[in-house]
Amino acid sequence: MEHIKKYIQEHKDRFVEELMDLLRIPSISADPAYSQDVNACAESVKDHLVKAGADKVEICPTKGYPIVYGEKIIDPQLPTVLVYGHYDVQPADPLELWESGPFEPVIKTTDIHPDGAIFARGACDDKGQMFMHVKAFELMMQTNSLACNVKFMIEGEEEVGSDNLGDFVKANKTRLKCDAILISDTGIIANDTPSITTGLKGLSYVEVEVTGPNRDLHSGLYGGAVANPINILCEMIASMKDENNHISIPGFYDKVVDLSSQERADMARAPFSLEHYKKALDLSDVHGEEGYTTMERTGIRPTLDVNGIWGGYTGEGAKTVIASKAFAKISMRLVPNQNDEEITKLFEDHFKAIAPKSVKVEVRPHHGGEPYVAPTDSPAYLSASTAMEATYGKKPVPVRSGGSIPIVALFEKELGVKSILMGFGLDSDAIHSPNEHYGLFNYFKGIETIPHFFAKFRELNQ
Ligand code: BES
Ligand code: MN
Ligand code: MN
């Protein structure tokens, strides 16, 4: 497969420039102020697919942001790979923590990326990884080596819960018919330790509101005599985990699938250094559910975390006040076979049950999603494994991730097809954080690996 390396070598600079142009578009799906940019980004993805040689390229409108579709059917007898990715990005705040503009991509080297990394919002999640597929497709078209039929479905609402993708999938089952769904929106353990993501967490996300007195009060005149909603909210949140960091919502663990000791032993074989993990995060110690390793806590155990909490006076100086209201955003990451709607209901019932009579509480559910696990003996997994082994010189290890891509479970339900999560990012790439970046090594390695996947997948399906 020398043609792959040769083509990448010859077109390297352009591949980087094109990605940087895409990264200049602030396609933040969460903030309506950027709606023109999100739509412009869809146009740009469409143009790139057309130029790379895709047919029937179309911007498919939805109630929200559009889905970009394109395909190349070389032979109906051959297997078809559906590539999914997203062109929308997370908001860039807090802006003051960025060393360069989030939408002004620059290349810098880091300890982990001695060959350089592109710094910009979306560099890794997911523009950089999605674009690897467009460039790998271009490469296969230009070198006459496209081994399977390919379909592209690139959405613009992943970071806000993919609200409209479900309808699109349900309405386009024939158009989306395929033998495997290939997604690069996850990561590997390290650049010398390739891995394939075999699990994604589900998500239940709620916002809670605790109301005490009907107005903000003088904290001396009323303090100690009425419920302070901020204090109460903190107590309620604290009570949701016991001394072993086990979540105390009744029924929360009822459907959790426990792993066998064999499966846990297999998991423990994936390379992981607690020392490096702590060092990378400036932590003296880790923290989590008793009886489980760090990899198990993130990979196979459900979790509950406050994502934001506010209320009262947070401005300059001191203001002596008891707030009328307190708020928090809380996420629960779920594992097989927990169902997000059931968990949200359990949370809501529990939160109401533990609220003292001195406050009123409200629970508002946000988007959710179901967990996903992938087999390691499917043709798609074997193709990804073979492809990575060819380009990294090492067989990748299966890893269950703590992240969520809720639409993957829906693909399985609606299309009856499993997804293969062949991502190339690193945990240290700071996705969703200031100074997000994507290594050039990772970008080119992805472009190189994808054609190997196609070749092996064709071979295994003949
Ligand atoms: N690409 C990420 C998910 C991810 C990253 C999974 C790394 C595994 C490894 C995706 O864009 C994302 O951020 N998902 C959200 C959920 C979504 C509903 C907003 C998440 O995991 O918080
Ligand atoms: Mn993503
Ligand atoms: Mn994301």
Side-chain angles (χ1 to χ4, degrees):
M1 304 272 256
E2 268 316 300
H3 67 279
I4 302 176
K5 282 197 168 143
K6 182 161 173 279
Y7 192 88
I8 294 174
Q9 198 53 43
E10 284 167 5
H11 298 272
K12 254 183 151 162
D13 295 345
R14 178 174 54 83
F15 283 2
V16 171
E17 279 157 27
E18 286 175 351
L19 173 56
M20 285 171 85
D21 282 341
L22 201 62
L23 291 167
R24 286 192 182 92
I25 309 172
S27 52
I28 305 170
S29 50
D31 187 344
Y34 294 90
S35 68
Q36 275 195 350
D37 300 294
V38 185
N39 282 302
C41 196
E43 289 288 343
S44 179
V45 172
K46 176 187 162 210
D47 293 345
H48 278 295
L49 279 175
V50 171
K51 264 192 243 146
D55 299 328
K56 300 189 183 166
V57 184
E58 192 186 324
I59 297 216
C60 311
T62 72
K63 282 187 206 134
Y65 289 119
I67 292 152
V68 186
Y69 180 84
E71 62 180 43
K72 189 79 203 176
I73 308 298
I74 43 173
D75 177 352
Q77 302 300 318
L78 286 172
T80 301
V81 176
L82 175 63
V83 173
Y84 163 82
H86 61 96
Y87 64 81
D88 65 320
V89 301
Q90 285 272 322
D93 62 280
L95 282 177
E96 65 279 12
L97 295 184
W98 283 81
E99 280 168 24
S100 52
F103 300 103
E104 292 153 28
V106 289
I107 298 175
K108 288 190 288 186
T109 58
T110 70
D111 290 348
I112 291 176
H113 295 294
D115 299 338
I118 306 179
F119 283 73
R121 168 60 83 232
C124 175
D125 182 13
D126 179 43
K127 283 177 180 168
Q129 298 210 64
M130 173 272 288
F131 203 59
M132 294 179 323
H133 285 273
V134 182
K135 293 299 99 179
F137 171 63
E138 174 197 310
L139 180 159
M140 293 186 281
M141 290 295 289
Q142 291 299 321
T143 55
N144 257 315
S145 60
L146 183 62
C148 304
N149 301 314
V150 56
K151 297 177 175 177
F152 289 91
M153 173 171 61
I154 314 295
E155 73 152 319
E157 297 188 308
E158 197 279 339
E159 299 292 8
V160 288
S162 304
D163 282 346
N164 297 293
L165 188 61
D167 283 348
F168 179 80
V169 170
K170 283 176 202 161
N172 288 277
K173 286 190 184 177
T174 315
R175 172 147 68 154
L176 299 174
K177 201 171 172 311
C178 61
D179 301 284
I181 301 168
L182 179 60
I183 304 176
S184 296
D185 194 20
T186 54
I188 50 174
I189 294 175
N191 279 351
D192 60 2
T193 315
S195 56
I196 295 173
T197 302
T198 52
L200 292 166
K201 291 233 178 118
L203 181 64
S204 157
Y205 199 109
V206 296
E207 193 167 320
V208 297
E209 179 181 319
V210 177
T211 308
N214 60 3
R215 60 190 165 89
D216 290 5
L217 300 174
H218 187 288
S219 64
L221 295 182
Y222 291 93
V226 298
N228 177 328
I230 302 176
N231 290 13
I232 300 278
L233 176 58
C234 291
E235 287 166 19
M236 290 172 72
I237 290 168
S239 79
M240 286 195 275
K241 285 191 198 172
D242 69 13
E243 67 280 9
N244 294 323
N245 282 311
H246 205 68
I247 296 159
S248 54
I249 299 170
F252 187 82
Y253 292 96
D254 282 2
K255 295 197 173 164
V256 170
V257 177
D258 285 323
L259 265 67
S260 67
S261 45
Q262 183 59 52
E263 285 172 304
R264 287 178 73 179
D266 286 347
M267 253 189 99
R269 286 216 305 271
F272 175 77
S273 156
L274 194 57
E275 280 321 301
H276 289 160
Y277 187 85
K278 289 195 282 195
K279 194 153 176 270
L281 301 173
D282 274 330
L283 294 170
S284 315
D285 204 358
V286 291
H287 180 95
E289 191 184 358
E290 206 56 40
Y292 294 93
T293 64
T294 294
M295 288 285 268
E296 289 174 338
R297 287 167 180 171
T298 59
I300 58 163
R301 297 299 293 168
T303 56
L304 181 152
D305 275 288
V306 179
N307 291 237
I309 184 162
W310 69 102
Y313 184 70
T314 56
E316 281 294 307
K319 180 188 177 193
T320 49
V321 65
I322 292 175
S324 166
K325 286 178 187 292
F327 304 85
K329 291 181 193 277
I330 299 173
S331 69
M332 286 157 281
R333 297 279 176 167
L334 314 178
V335 300
N337 290 328
Q338 289 178 301
N339 171 276
D340 64 300
E341 283 171 18
E342 273 171 37
I343 293 292
T344 301
K345 178 81 170 67
L346 289 178
F347 177 94
E348 186 171 351
D349 290 349
H350 180 64
F351 198 76
K352 288 181 175 158
I354 61 173
K357 245 167 65 190
S358 52
V359 296
K360 294 189 224 25
V361 298
E362 258 187 64
V363 176
R364 285 187 285 270
H366 281 266
H367 55 245
E370 288 191 31
Y372 176 74
V373 273
T376 53
D377 57 1
S378 65
Y381 186 92
L382 294 176
S383 302
S385 181
T386 308
M388 282 182 137
E389 192 172 354
T391 57
Y392 285 87
K394 261 190 204 174
K395 201 179 162 119
V397 289
V399 170
R400 294 232 204 156
S401 171
S404 307
I405 310 177
I407 209 68
V408 171
L410 187 130
F411 290 156
E412 184 173 4
K413 203 177 283 170
E414 296 299 332
L415 301 175
V417 182
K418 284 272 186 185
S419 294
I420 177 82
L421 301 156
M422 188 172 75
F424 295 87
L426 299 179
D427 283 354
S428 56
D429 287 345
I431 64 171
H432 294 206
S433 300
N435 306 307
E436 174 177 353
H437 53 280
Y438 191 43
L440 293 176
F441 170 89
N442 304 66
Y443 181 52
F444 295 125
K445 197 57 104 181
I447 298 173
E448 187 190 343
T449 306
I450 292 162
H452 285 270
F453 174 92
F454 275 72
K456 189 72 188 175
F457 194 66
R458 171 176 175 154
E459 190 189 309
L460 290 177
N461 280 275
Q462 262 167 359

